[in-house]
Structure formats: C-alpha cells, structure tokens
Amino acid sequence: MARIRAENLVKNYGSVKAVLGIEFDIADGEFVAILGPSGCGKSSTMRMIAGLEEISGGQILFDERPVNDIRARDRNVAMSFENYALYSPITIFENIAFPLRASGMNASDVNRRVHDIARKMELEPLLDQKPTGLSSGQAQRVSLARALVREPEVFLLDEPISHLDTRQRYRMRRFIKSIHQEFGYTMIYVTHDQEEALALADRVMVMSDGEIQQMGSAQEVYTRPANAFVAGFVGEPPINFLPFSADGDGIVIEGHRIEVPEAAKPRLKQIGASGRAGVRPHFMALGDNGGITLSGRGFVTEELQDHNEIFVDIGKTRISLIAAPSQRVSRGEDVTVSIDPIHLLLFPEGVEREFE
Ligand code: ADP
Ligand code: MG
C-alpha cells in the first residue's frame, strides 16, 4: 500500500490547461473519490498517478518517493476503466490469470491467486465459462478481479460503473466498498456522480476547471461546503440559493430580515452588501417550525415513496424542500416555509451553473 501525494501538479495538452497545479495527500489505505463535472480534470489527474500520462509540472510521490519518471508498469498500480476489455476466446479463469502469467508466475501460485480473488468477487462458479453471455455487472467484476489479482499498492478506478443500470450500480458499489474493506488498498475513484462519491469514499476531492475546490469527508463537503460550487454540486436534491441583501448583522430575503448566527457574522462582513443564502431541501420545512420563516406560494408536490419533494416560489426564487408524505402544496396556495438558521450557508453573488 502507499501514501500518494501531489505537489503543484499540472497537466497541459498543448494550450489546453487541464490540471492547474493541485496539491493533495492521500493516506496509505485511504479511499478517496475525485468528484466533478465532465472535463474538470479528473481522468487527467488519475492517469498521471497511474503513469499513463506525462506530468507537465510539479510532482507525484508514492510514500514520499517521486514517481514522475517511473513507468506505469513499474508503479504497481492497478487501474480499472469503464471499458472492460475481456478476451472472448479464453475462459474467465484465464482472463483473470493473464497479468500473472505475463509476469512469469508459476502455475500453482497463479491458480491460488485466481481462486482467491474469484471467491472474494463471487466469480468462482463462472471461472470455466467464456466471457460471452456474462451480464455487464459480471463482466465488470471479472475486469476488477483481473486488475486486483496482481495485488497492487494502489487501485485506481475511473468511472468504472457509470454505464451500468441503477440496480447493477448499487450492487457494484457494495463490491467496490467491500474490496476496500477486505484488501485495505489505497483507492482512488473517479466519478461525476456525487451520491456515489459520498457513499463510497473516506474523503471526497471536489474538482472543477482543473482545480480542487474542497477535499473532505462526505459530511464536511455536504454540511460545510467551501464555496457555492461545492454546495451546488454536492447534495440531492440540489441546494437552494436565495438572494439576500445585507442589513447590519442580518440578511434580508424577500423582505424578511434574518439575524445571522454569531459564527456567520465575519463571513457576512466579507461578502458585503449582497449575496446568496444556501439551504438544503432537507433543512427546510413546510409550515412554521420555530426557525426562520418565509412566506411563499406553492408550485408542485412530487410524491416519492417515503417522502414528498415540495416546490415553493419565494418571491422570484423557486426552492424545493423535503417533507413528510402527508404534506403537500397546491399551485398558488399561500404557504409558510421554515429554515433552521444553523443550516444557512452564505455565499457571494454568482452565476448558477447547470450540472449534468
Ligand atoms: P474529466 O475526466 O474530469 O472529464 P479530463 O481530465 O478527461 O476530464 O479532461 C480535462 C480537460 O482536458 C478537458 O478540457 C479535456 O477536453 C482535455 N483533454 C483531456 N485529454 C486530452 C487529450 N488527450 N488531448 C487534449 N485535450 C485533452
Ligand atoms: Mg474522465
């Protein structure tokens, strides 16, 4: 296993600046997810760690040893991609055994290792079959087994399950998590799916436009996002942003003055005359809950099995909140919405971005 550190890591493709001098320190045995929208530099970062892409600037260190000039195959890194190329003329056993045979391992060790990993990946009953006819989830597991059979120091996964259907994805998520628990590899997992990142990783590295916006636990990036980008990218349904104007130690949202908590006052000073208040749908309620109350008009209610998602227009801003299945609004109805002030996040003004 290895600790992985990056110092001022840069990747340029000609004039395209893909990674803009990032720094991170991933502990031995840690599971980190790199999360961000398409094109933000996730795969470039991953491929530089793997040694598949030349580093344009800065360095990468494994256990404090620079690896910039070490070839991919000498880094003892396993990498699994979305695209699992299995060799169809040979059995699944031989597919998994391939990297071991290529390294010259003797037959009895190959046999032991392949059976060992196949048991852990629930593939033993399939070993004598050929890849044709496997489900996409099974094929993905064979591909993971083939990557892991070499017992790498570092295991890199780049969007390994984004092409699977929802059910298969859930199943594979559990596998990937159990691989980490069982083997204790340092694992880095690239995804654009925030739910996947939060569910799997010890820490999430949120990237956009070639830079790290925040690195922290799921809880940290969710409840204490470093900026409006992280606040908006992490969390489902997405966070609500309500425009405010500052008024002394308070903010005014749609004519309602709210005194901000003591801890948020320096932040309000920094932001200045106006900004956006972020509040997650889970931290808003329909009716007067004793917190901050705002009045609005009902838009629609979406009934989901164990809760309702309710949309309300507060002035010109449409917000959503999570409510009990018994609660609903009808269109145009006057409603009261409350917010727990503890969960109010303050951000400077900015333009909202659409995320996929
Ligand atoms: P992500 O994995 O987050 O989608 P990438 O690391 O693949 O992002 O890409 C980051 C940026 O670098 C994008 O603007 C992309 O178009 C560009 N890029 C990636 N690979 C190449 C390449 N081989 N040549 C030129 N530009 C590339
Ligand atoms: Mg990518």
Side-chain angles (χ1 to χ4, degrees):
M1 313 308 133
R3 168 183 175 192
I4 302 168
R5 211 156 63 72
E7 284 177 349
N8 196 21
L9 183 63
V10 174
K11 181 67 201 178
N12 302 320
Y13 301 96
S15 63
V16 177
K17 297 183 188 319
V19 178
L20 306 177
I22 62 173
E23 313 252 336
F24 56 79
D25 188 351
I26 297 172
D28 185 5
E30 197 178 13
F31 191 153
V32 166
I34 306 182
L35 171 69
S38 174
C40 73
K42 304 182 296 297
S43 295
S44 300
T45 302
M46 191 76 128
R47 292 172 59 79
M48 287 191 282
I49 297 170
L52 298 172
E53 198 72 71
E54 205 179 310
I55 292 170
S56 313
Q59 60 178 352
I60 294 177
L61 304 102
F62 286 10
D63 290 330
E64 295 306 85
R65 193 167 31 94
V67 296
N68 289 33
D69 299 325
I70 298 179
R71 290 172 307 179
R73 66 180 138 111
D74 297 328
R75 289 192 192 185
N76 202 13
V77 165
M79 186 148 175
S80 178
F81 304 90
E82 169 173 345
N83 171 12
Y84 39 79
L86 300 178
Y87 306 106
S88 55
I90 59 174
T91 62
I92 289 169
F93 181 99
E94 287 303 330
N95 266 279
I96 298 173
F98 191 83
L100 300 181
R101 296 213 197 282
S103 74
M105 186 181 278
N106 72 57
S108 70
D109 285 346
V110 169
N111 197 43
R112 185 178 48 76
R113 284 263 201 111
V114 172
H115 277 281
D116 202 30
I117 192 79
R119 193 167 343 102
K120 285 169 179 152
M121 301 295 290
E122 295 176 21
L123 290 168
E124 269 196 317
L126 304 176
L127 285 177
D128 296 332
Q129 285 184 31
K130 294 200 173 153
T132 335
L134 290 184
S135 73
S136 53
Q138 287 169 331
Q140 183 67 24
R141 263 150 54 213
V142 174
S143 145
L144 291 177
R146 187 177 54 188
L148 291 173
V149 76
R150 288 189 301 124
E151 301 185 349
E153 281 189 85
V154 177
F155 190 24
L156 307 177
L157 299 107
D158 193 346
E159 312 238 11
I161 58 175
S162 52
H163 60 301
L164 300 177
D165 66 39
T166 310
R167 241 163 233 261
Q168 291 274 17
R169 273 213 307 278
Y170 274 109
R171 179 127 192 272
M172 284 306 297
R173 237 156 76 170
R174 285 198 299 278
F175 262 105
I176 289 164
K177 188 85 182 171
S178 70
I179 287 170
H180 182 249
Q181 283 165 353
E182 175 119 11
F183 299 88
Y185 294 128
T186 307
M187 278 169 65
I188 307 179
Y189 187 99
V190 163
T191 180
H192 63 271
D193 179 340
Q194 58 91 31
E195 191 197 317
E196 206 170 281
L198 268 56
L200 283 171
D202 298 323
R203 278 193 303 160
V204 180
M205 182 197 295
V206 187
M207 286 186 77
S208 85
D209 297 331
E211 292 183 298
I212 298 176
Q213 301 298 324
Q214 187 171 7
M215 191 158 177
S217 68
Q219 182 71 14
E220 280 163 356
V221 297
Y222 184 77
T223 58
R224 293 200 300 281
N227 54 41
F229 174 84
V230 177
F233 198 77
V234 170
E236 188 62 36
I239 197 166
N240 300 300
F241 286 114
L242 291 150
F244 71 78
S245 52
D247 176 19
D249 279 338
I251 58 174
V252 179
I253 298 175
E254 291 298 331
H256 302 261
R257 187 177 187 284
I258 299 163
E259 187 75 10
V260 303
E262 205 54 45
K265 286 177 184 168
R267 172 117 183 99
L268 181 58
K269 288 271 174 305
Q270 267 176 5
I271 292 171
S274 59
R276 294 176 290 167
V279 52
R280 298 203 178 275
H282 289 91
F283 301 143
M284 294 185 97
L286 196 62
D288 183 352
N289 264 16
I292 301 159
T293 56
L294 298 173
S295 41
R297 278 177 192 280
F299 178 58
V300 289
T301 302
E302 274 184 23
E303 295 187 28
L304 305 158
Q305 294 74 44
D306 56 351
H307 65 269
N308 287 351
E309 184 175 358
I310 293 179
F311 294 82
V312 172
D313 291 334
I314 297 174
K316 288 193 284 294
T317 309
R318 179 158 300 155
I319 61 95
S320 88
L321 61 87
I322 300 299
S326 57
Q327 291 191 300
R328 39 186 19 272
V329 295
S330 39
R331 199 172 194 125
E333 175 189 355
D334 285 327
V335 295
T336 301
V337 163
S338 40
I339 303 172
D340 183 344
I342 289 292
H343 293 298
L344 206 55
L345 301 164
L346 303 178
F347 300 109
E349 272 177 343
V351 183
E352 250 23 86
R353 291 174 46 167
E354 284 290 321
F355 306 117
E356 76 250 65

